[in-house]
Amino acid sequence: MKFGRFFLAPFFAWVLVATYSNAQTMEQLQDSFRQLDEYLPTANTYRTASGAPGHDYWQQQVDYRITVELNDKDQTLTGREKITYHNNSPDTLRYLWLQLDQNRFARGSMDQQTRTAADERKSNFKAFRKELHEKRFSGGHKVEFVRDSAGNNLPFTIVETMMRVDLPTPLKPGQKYEFDIAWSYRIVDGTIIKSRGGYEFFKEDGNYIYEVSRWFPRLAAYSDYDGWHNKQFIGRGEFTLEFGNYEVDITVPADHIVTATGVLQNAGDVLSELQRKRLEKARKSDKPVHIVTPDEALANQAKAAGKKKTWRFRAENVRDFAFASSRKFIWDAMGVYQKENKQTVMAMSFYPEEANPLWGLYSTQAVAHTLEVYNKYALVYPYPVAISVHGAVTGGMEYPMISFNGYRPTKHDNGTRTYERRTKYGLISVVIHEVGHNYFPMIVNSDERQWTWMDEGLNTFLQYLAEQEWEEDYPSRRGEPYKIVDFMKSDKQVPIMTNSESLLQFGNNAYAKPATALNILRESIMGRELFDFAFREYSRRWQFKRPTPADLFRTLEDASGVDLDWFWRGWFYTTDHVDISLDNVRHMHLDTKNPEIEQEWLRKQDEKRPETMGEKRNRDLPKRIDRYKELKDFYNEYDKFTVTNAQRNSYRALLEELEDYERGLLGNKSHIYMLDLANKGGLVMPVYVKVTYADGMTEEFRWAAEIWKQNGKKISKMILTDKPIVAVELDPHLETADVDMANNHFPRRIDEDSRFDLFKTKKKRDMMKEMREPLVETGKEKK
């Protein structure tokens, strides 16, 4: 820490310095703190500059009446649907685009064509197995016909995962159009192809669990900002769809239990009286109640039924529909009463015996917990059910009111099951995350195919909040700023705003980084009260509507009164990272102008200078002036720090010119510290400082990001104190995702939090010894 004098000067001198600084850093000013005008679309009557839907906002509606049959023998679906398309747009439409997502699994699909090797020299077993399986598997929608309501064939054109249906007459604004489609497809093996659905076969008992998603031809979105959303589905970029009402009849083997988006309409036909009574009991219970018990599920899966049953579901105002079916399902449920809308939501889980004891203990409780926490921070859950299903999906996948979730205990040779810590918290987290997707994007209907982060990032942020309310010290993987630093400083990344298919490090880019950014806004930049109000306002404005990034950015600023353009630019449009370095701390006192004091201070500073090696060795050398005394004169008697009368007279004249308050300031005894800060990472952020005083006390200072407004690279900040400072630390609470904590301390600290690893040199291979080793027969070989 350097010591020095701080000079008080007339105001005009500071004006000159500031002018020079502004001229020098105008380019940096424009880059960091200019408004986002060049990135955001111009506001209009559909979407306002405040981020709210405009008075002319519109969106389409699509209603479906579907009948489908699941063939448990050959794992196929055969269906027919009647579609009613409502043209609420101001445009006349000559054709309609539909999504055929199963075509991603057709041989030679764009997904398969554009997939590149992760490593040119090796592959893991599962990935190579998938490649071989796709060469044999014939997937994709087989469209039998497309007809109008009178039964006339409609011309259609299939383009990879999209289908264009040409209308016989243009569909004008305000009109609706009805047509029918018949189709079928083979369900993928979800244990081989990671497909957000599919089936899982259980070899031990010969049964299947089916998780059925993206299964029917469904209308692509048509919006004010993008027209038809007919970008191909090639894997990562998920879905953007229209809201509508669904009536779905699902025919399955009679011993199957079915769960789906929406509410079961014919419980009397498909459930026993006992099961219906258990459902009513569960509705009023604050703990999970079995509708189908583990013993009943085991008995049910023992022998396949020869007959069929049809389960009828109805769902209102949803953007998609999914279902699951199996004779292996255990089913439990509990009611979650929502005070805000005085409605009870049924939280439910469906899972096989292989998932216990983990699922029976945690799944439905996690569903209920998600609703309680998300309702508080986003919007009130509007649907009657929220469901978690376990099957082929090893991670998690979301659909309206229903989610497919992984994580299963390990079964041991003695028949018992145990689960690891990571499996337990993995299940709780994935259920929170996937059920949370009901809010984003199933209700706040963002475009997943273009902007994955708008649902994954926002949902991961809320997931973090829910995890923290599950238990103390919950091991959240994402949300805390310090957990993102390795990604932030890596070269393998692209801006968050990049299209979904082109993201690098998908999990970090689409999930972790935007979630961390929102957490920083809430905890540090805006504060909880302002952020929570603004985030709820965004959720309220855009529930059951289709927002864009501009609508989110504008709403959070509009509802909070905080200018965040600099934040959106740095975190979402660049790959800059946070690395604020405390380069130096200078300790100063005011220059009193009094020569008696200042000259003595200069003398002491000179005496403090370390003696050079030459000075030390030359001290005992004979000096000529000691031999010839007449060489000594005035300057040998008075050193350069001696105060002269001229200096005293100048000081007196100065005091006469100063006003009373100015003379008083010259006697101020404050400690003046100048902190020299450098922005090495490029991302402008607030500066948070903790100082430690000589008496052991600490104090914290918080300076807004606008501290960099006139120079985005280097700044100096002054602190005035009544007592000396012995240490200064930046970002003491790990709030900013600073990638280099070593330069956050002054004086610098020795890193004591590391290990030095010792290892043995690998022995050379002894092939002769290897050949003499006896062959061990494995358990699988015995079988």
Side-chain angles (χ1 to χ4, degrees), residues 54-72:
H55 62 271
D56 288 330
Y57 177 84
W58 57 267
Q59 62 187 26
Q60 311 291 58
Q61 178 180 330
V62 189
D63 301 326
Y64 298 85
R65 179 71 178 88
I66 308 174
T67 59
V68 63
E69 182 170 346
L70 169 65
N71 191 322
D72 193 35

Side-chain angles (χ1 to χ4, degrees), residues 332 349-351 355-367 370 388-391 393-396 403-409 419-435 463 467 470 474-475 477:
D332 68 43
S349 295
F350 296 77
Y351 49 94
N356 268 333
L358 187 65
W359 269 70
L361 186 59
Y362 292 115
S363 178
T364 299
Q365 286 280 12
V367 174
T370 306
S388 172
V389 182
H390 183 57
V393 175
T394 54
S403 60
F404 303 151
N405 300 307
Y407 293 95
R408 185 178 297 173
Y419 51 84
E420 299 174 350
R421 177 184 297 271
R422 62 182 296 180
T423 304
K424 168 190 171 179
Y425 290 109
L427 172 64
I428 297 169
S429 289
V430 77
V431 172
I432 292 173
H433 185 88
E434 304 307 337
V435 173
Q463 173 192 338
E467 289 170 347
W470 180 273
Y474 188 98
R477 293 175 53 222

